[in-house]
Amino acid sequence: MSTITQVFSQDERKPALLSFVSIRNPFFVVISLALVSLLVYQSVFTHQFQIKWDDQWVVFNNYTEDGLAWSNLRDIFTESYKGQYAPLNQLSYTLLYVAAGNNYNPVWFHTFSFIIHTGNIILAFYFVKNLLTHSNSVQPASIYTISYCTAFIMAVHPFVVESVAWMAASKILIYSFFYLLALNSYFKYLQTKNIWWLMVVLTLFILSFGGKEQAVTLPACLLLIDYMANRSFKSTRLWVEKIPFIVLTLIFGYITMLGQKVFGVGVLTVGRSYPFYQNVIFGCYALTEYTVKCLVPVKLNFVYLFPNVVGTPVPLRFWMYPAVIVIALVTLRDMFKNRWVVFTVAFFIIHLAVVLHIIPMSRFSIVADRYAYIASIAVFFLISYYLDKAIRCVKHRNPVIGLFVLYITYLGAYTFERAKLWRDSDVLKKEFFNKLDQQALENEQKLKVQPNNQIRK
């Protein structure tokens, strides 16, 4: 408790011995976050590939094995693979395969994922720090507390485990790495007004899309940053500078849909799909689930199946979720007078928009932990924002810090255990089916229906 109090302390007259243990010290920030990440993810270095859970085709393929031949590099960047266009992600597999002596060595692959994830945690720290600094509405001391706590929660939160421990989900890590670099570079542009920084952001945008299609949300996020940085939306320059990003977003969106069409899925194909009103219900449910699991992660799963197949009614209990969203907005309307609450909600929705089923995508899971990787930063930020407010009340300082320690201890322990479940396909499948059986039993008890054992077939 005393160590955390010292880290959060704003007293500038600290002993020299504690000068390093400060969230104002960049070396302490990097090293401490890296060590925390290593502590909770130490098991991933002994993990095998998930050869029964998509690694067998996402990682193991001809693009990986054909190495760095020019013809293979051309194919990686010009072809979609089974409905997915993620050339930088595939290139990372190829480079790791070659570096390991033309061998699928899981240590190399999982170490790479861990390093990228740790880099993303550090980039999240600087993103929040830059955001708070450019807003000119937060005390300097609070900037460091909020930024560090946001990154710390990200380091220990179990909702991001899937992206780190599952090799086939490395697309999320790679797109997020370039995405967060782009956001931090955009703050450099806002600070200097140097057009070259905007070109850097544009380049990073392209690289981020090369990791995963979710990068198409970047222009909307840049506009949100403009709002928080108090830029005038009447400015012609603000909109002109976004034109290249909007054009690229349209191109990227078409590339994504075209790649899915080639594989026979997506919005450009003709086939049976859920009606729009059901997609709205699914979207409200998914948004609720992502929010709750970011705040209090419980009963995390590997697949969250749709509640009904195409052409059948949605279970009655799912109809309550649109009402839940409306009630939450009405109940918490006073909180929206706070610009940081507006930012949190907007950032969260922007980065989930393409996976909330409003736009039909080729997905069989109604919710997926990995899709909230970037969006979750907003929730972690809001937790940290109100934590900072609370610890500045002398009366409540120690109890609040104590509760926060318990919270992150719970998160870290959950992450440590959940990471181990991704050891290999046998462990994962066993845990997955155990959860399916448990869920079926709960549904039987609550809804008095027979469990759907056909899921396992």
Side-chain angles (χ1 to χ4, degrees):
M1 180 74 70
S2 61
T3 301
I4 291 182
T5 303
Q6 290 164 355
V7 170
F8 290 160
S9 174
Q10 306 306 322
D11 186 357
E12 300 295 336
R13 297 169 297 177
K14 289 182 285 189
L17 183 63
L18 294 178
S19 61
F20 178 77
V21 186
S22 169
I23 51 180
R24 293 175 179 267
N25 188 317
F27 294 103
F28 170 77
V29 169
V30 172
I31 292 174
S32 63
L33 292 176
L35 288 176
V36 169
S37 181
L38 179 62
L39 177 64
V40 296
Y41 286 105
Q42 57 184 278
S43 63
V44 301
F45 301 104
T46 61
H47 285 185
Q48 301 300 309
F49 291 108
Q50 295 293 337
I51 56 175
K52 300 177 183 178
W53 200 271
D54 285 355
D55 283 2
Q56 74 277 8
W57 65 270
V58 175
V59 182
F60 291 59
N61 56 55
N62 290 335
Y63 297 110
T64 302
E65 295 169 10
D66 286 349
L68 300 177
W70 284 112
S71 59
N72 188 44
L73 294 176
R74 178 200 62 212
D75 292 342
I76 288 173
F77 282 92
T78 59
E79 297 177 356
S80 64
Y81 177 52
K82 295 192 176 183
Q84 300 186 22
Y85 181 74
L88 278 192
N89 183 65
Q90 177 55 60
L91 181 61
S92 71
Y93 296 153
T94 304
L95 291 173
L96 289 167
Y97 179 82
V98 171
N102 293 333
N103 182 35
Y104 289 108
N105 187 333
V107 176
W108 284 75
F109 285 77
H110 287 298
T111 299
F112 172 77
S113 289
F114 171 79
I115 292 173
I116 295 296
H117 173 60
T118 302
N120 289 339
I121 294 169
I122 295 167
L123 288 173
F125 167 84
Y126 282 104
F127 165 66
V128 176
K129 177 176 175 291
N130 286 326
L131 178 70
L132 294 171
T133 300
H134 281 78
S135 72
N136 294 317
S137 62
V138 179
Q139 296 179 0
S142 294
I143 291 175
Y144 288 91
T145 301
I146 297 170
S147 303
Y148 186 76
C149 289
T150 301
F152 198 98
I153 296 173
M154 184 179 181
V156 300
H157 204 287
F159 207 28
V160 303
V161 168
E162 182 175 89
S163 301
V164 186
W166 184 24
M167 202 62 230
S170 60
K171 295 187 291 291
I172 297 289
L173 299 178
I174 291 176
Y175 118 77
S176 299
F177 180 77
F178 290 109
Y179 195 99
L180 289 169
L181 275 176
L183 295 183
N184 283 301
S185 298
Y186 188 65
F187 287 113
K188 283 289 187 181
Y189 168 71
L190 294 181
Q191 180 181 355
T192 64
K193 299 301 181 184
N194 189 326
I195 193 66
W196 289 108
W197 276 112
L198 197 62
M199 297 302 295
V200 169
V201 178
L202 196 66
T203 302
L204 291 169
F205 180 31
I206 296 171
L207 293 174
S208 182
F209 175 76
K212 187 170 176 61
E213 72 278 356
Q214 273 184 271
V216 297
T217 58
L218 184 70
C221 189
L222 296 182
L223 289 172
L224 179 60
I225 291 174
D226 290 333
Y227 166 73
M228 297 306 298
N230 300 305
R231 296 186 72 190
S232 173
F233 279 74
K234 296 180 181 180
S235 168
T236 302
R237 175 171 182 161
L238 182 147
W239 292 104
V240 169
E241 69 193 23
K242 300 302 185 300
I243 291 175
F245 295 91
I246 295 173
V247 171
L248 280 178
T249 293
L250 295 175
I251 294 173
F252 292 160
Y254 180 72
I255 290 173
T256 299
M257 291 186 291
L258 189 62
Q260 292 181 345
K261 180 182 178 182
V262 172
F263 192 57
V265 296
V267 296
L268 297 183
T269 59
V270 177
R272 298 185 67 197
S273 60
Y274 292 102
F276 179 73
Y277 81 92
Q278 289 191 0
N279 282 328
V280 172
I281 294 173
F282 297 152
C284 292
Y285 169 79
L287 186 61
T288 304
E289 283 292 288
Y290 283 124
T291 303
V292 172
K293 283 177 167 49
C294 283
L295 290 170
V296 186
V298 293
K299 294 185 178 181
L300 298 182
N301 210 335
F302 306 100
V303 173
Y304 306 85
L305 299 173
F306 279 87
N308 60 299
V309 298
V310 176
T312 62
V314 179
L316 187 61
R317 65 188 179 91
F318 277 79
W319 283 86
M320 73 176 183
Y321 286 99
V324 168
I325 298 295
V326 172
I327 292 171
L329 291 175
V330 172
T331 304
L332 303 175
R333 62 184 181 277
D334 288 342
M335 292 185 65
F336 285 89
K337 296 176 183 178
N338 186 321
R339 293 175 74 242
W340 293 112
V341 174
V342 174
F343 163 78
T344 298
V345 174
F347 188 95
F348 191 69
I349 293 176
I350 284 171
H351 293 94
L352 288 175
V354 297
V355 294
L356 287 180
H357 311 290
I358 305 303
I359 302 174
M361 300 289 284
S362 57
R363 309 293 185 212
F364 63 88
S365 184
I366 191 170
V367 171
D369 294 4
R370 62 190 180 278
Y371 294 154
Y373 188 85
I374 288 286
S376 63
I377 295 174
V379 178
F380 305 157
F381 164 83
L382 197 62
I383 293 172
S384 303
Y385 175 80
Y386 281 106
L387 171 69
D388 175 72
K389 279 184 169 294
I391 63 176
R392 297 199 179 285
C393 298
V394 177
K395 181 179 179 180
H396 301 122
R397 181 185 180 89
N398 288 335
V400 169
I401 292 177
L403 289 174
F404 181 67
V405 171
L406 290 176
Y407 178 63
I408 60 174
T409 299
Y410 163 74
L411 296 179
Y414 198 167
T415 297
F416 181 79
E417 292 301 321
R418 187 159 179 78
K420 292 192 294 186
L421 296 176
W422 289 91
R423 186 181 68 190
D424 56 45
S425 293
D426 292 335
V427 173
L428 186 68
K429 288 281 189 177
K430 181 179 178 181
E431 179 68 15
F432 171 63
F433 286 129
N434 285 341
K435 286 185 177 294
L436 275 184
D437 291 338
Q438 181 182 0
Q439 181 179 353
L441 180 60
E442 290 177 355
N443 289 340
E444 183 181 20
Q445 292 173 343
K446 293 180 180 179
L447 304 177
K448 296 182 180 180
V449 297
Q450 291 297 321
N452 184 7
N453 294 323
Q454 293 182 347
I455 292 175
R456 296 183 62 167
K457 298 178 182 179

